[in-house]
Amino acid sequence: MTEPGWDKETIAQSASLKQKLEDFDFTFLLEVFQSIFGLTEPLFQVLQSKTVDIKKCQDRIMSTLSALKATRTDETFSRIYDEAVKAVGDPVPRRKRRRRCWDDLEQGFNQQEGDEETVVSFRRLYFQIVDGIVLHMTQRFADMEHLNFFRILEHTSFTSFCKPAAFPSSELAQLINTYPFFDEQKLRNELHTLYNNRLFHKPPGELIELLIEDDLQGTLSEVYKLLQLMLTIPATSTSAERSFSCLKRIKTYLRNTCGQDRLVNLATISIDSVVVEDLKATGKFYDIVIDHFATMKDRRMAFLFK
């Protein structure tokens, strides 16, 4: 199916994409990863929130792993396989993918056996995908338990930490054991000051800004050091990985035709797409961009009329 004005390259690419969408292997993998991503999306949102609630992250990781392991069943595979068959029809049996020779015709080919082998191969592929994702997630977050000291500066718990019985002593001990360059007694005293003053009941990012604005880096030096440590450990946020992924897509699409400034600006627009959408909603976004473009430098065409 073509549209008026399509060139040969567009038609060829459309035919190739149509063929890919009608391929059973491709459709089956789409169904598999749609099922998997439906389970991992809530975890992704938690990790992208830049929270320091490590306990919440650990609970979400464990629940996601449990949900993924629960999908490693014949029932789940059969449902996904049937959805793919419903979308594009039965797959071509694996033994039919090679050219048939006279020996095959003489020996005969059992269609039922070929179909069974095909289903078995797709079942094996499905289980391998699930096992691989579970394994990599387990390895990726294996060290998360060593970051429980983040709870020390969990601002929503500062009020309860004021009580001696609720002070996060175990998390503080873990911090000193992992990073022995902290002065434990001094840090403990500074934390008591932090917990008892509502002025400091702020998230780590806002708290370190407050310390800098009020020039308290020296007064609360150990807390300031801890804030720097926490804010530079990518415990939950994958913003750096997201930036590299975004730059890769932009660079691949535009090749090497754009300079560094343009590439950075395009990456910022892509990463902060929500902000761009909010600006578009005001109705003045396009006018501002056009006016800025028209006044940047002398143009061969007249864009401004007085």
Side-chain angles (χ1 to χ4, degrees), residues 93-138:
R94 297 294 183 179
R95 290 178 59 183
K96 275 192 169 184
R97 296 196 177 195
R98 62 184 178 87
R99 182 177 296 179
R100 301 288 294 278
C101 61
W102 285 107
D103 292 338
D104 292 328
L105 297 177
E106 291 175 357
Q107 295 175 4
F109 179 76
N110 190 318
Q111 180 68 37
Q112 183 177 0
E113 291 181 359
D115 292 342
E116 290 178 355
E117 290 180 1
T118 301
V119 174
V120 170
S121 65
F122 278 106
R123 182 186 290 109
R124 184 185 304 113
L125 174 62
Y126 171 72
F127 287 162
Q128 288 175 348
I129 292 173
V130 175
D131 291 342
I133 292 177
V134 170
L135 176 62
H136 284 289
M137 283 186 61
T138 303

Side-chain angles (χ1 to χ4, degrees), residues 277-295:
E277 293 298 329
D278 292 340
L279 291 174
K280 289 181 180 179
T282 63
K284 300 180 180 179
F285 177 72
Y286 294 105
D287 292 337
I288 295 173
V289 173
I290 292 172
D291 292 341
H292 179 70
F293 174 80
T295 57

Side-chain angles (χ1 to χ4, degrees), residues 2 5 20 61 96 113 178 185 195 218 222-223 264 267 277 282:
T2 61
K20 179 64 68 175
I61 291 168
K96 275 192 169 184
E113 291 181 359
T178 307
Q185 188 58 47
Y195 298 154
E222 295 301 305
V223 169
V264 171
E277 293 298 329
T282 63

Side-chain angles (χ1 to χ4, degrees), residues 171-189:
E171 288 81 1
L172 180 60
Q174 183 191 57
L175 172 66
I176 301 302
N177 183 55
T178 307
Y179 299 98
F181 53 79
F182 283 97
D183 186 332
E184 181 177 1
Q185 188 58 47
K186 185 176 180 181
L187 178 58
R188 183 182 293 271
N189 294 335

Side-chain angles (χ1 to χ4, degrees), residues 154-276:
E154 186 178 315
H155 67 287
T156 56
S157 303
F158 281 4
T159 303
S160 62
F161 288 165
C162 294
K163 303 175 183 178
F167 187 85
S169 300
S170 60
E171 288 81 1
L172 180 60
Q174 183 191 57
L175 172 66
I176 301 302
N177 183 55
T178 307
Y179 299 98
F181 53 79
F182 283 97
D183 186 332
E184 181 177 1
Q185 188 58 47
K186 185 176 180 181
L187 178 58
R188 183 182 293 271
N189 294 335
E190 292 180 6
L191 288 175
H192 280 295
T193 302
L194 208 68
Y195 298 154
N196 286 281
N197 192 334
R198 291 190 174 274
L199 178 65
F200 298 120
H201 290 194
K202 298 179 180 294
E206 298 179 14
L207 180 57
I208 195 172
E209 291 180 357
L210 176 64
L211 296 183
I212 294 174
E213 290 176 359
D214 294 345
D215 196 21
L216 296 175
Q217 303 96 309
T219 306
L220 300 174
S221 58
E222 295 301 305
V223 169
Y224 181 72
K225 191 190 304 181
L226 177 58
L227 284 168
Q228 288 180 312
L229 174 65
M230 291 177 56
L231 293 174
T232 52
I233 292 180
T236 59
S237 176
T238 56
S239 57
E241 297 175 9
R242 179 177 59 179
S243 300
F244 282 114
S245 177
C246 181
L247 282 173
K248 183 178 180 181
R249 292 197 304 271
I250 294 172
K251 196 68 172 180
T252 301
Y253 178 73
L254 296 177
R255 301 300 179 183
N256 294 319
T257 59
C258 59
Q260 184 66 28
D261 292 340
R262 184 184 179 193
L263 184 63
V264 171
N265 293 333
L266 288 172
T268 303
I269 292 174
S270 180
I271 295 171
D272 296 328
S273 57
V274 176
V275 178
V276 176

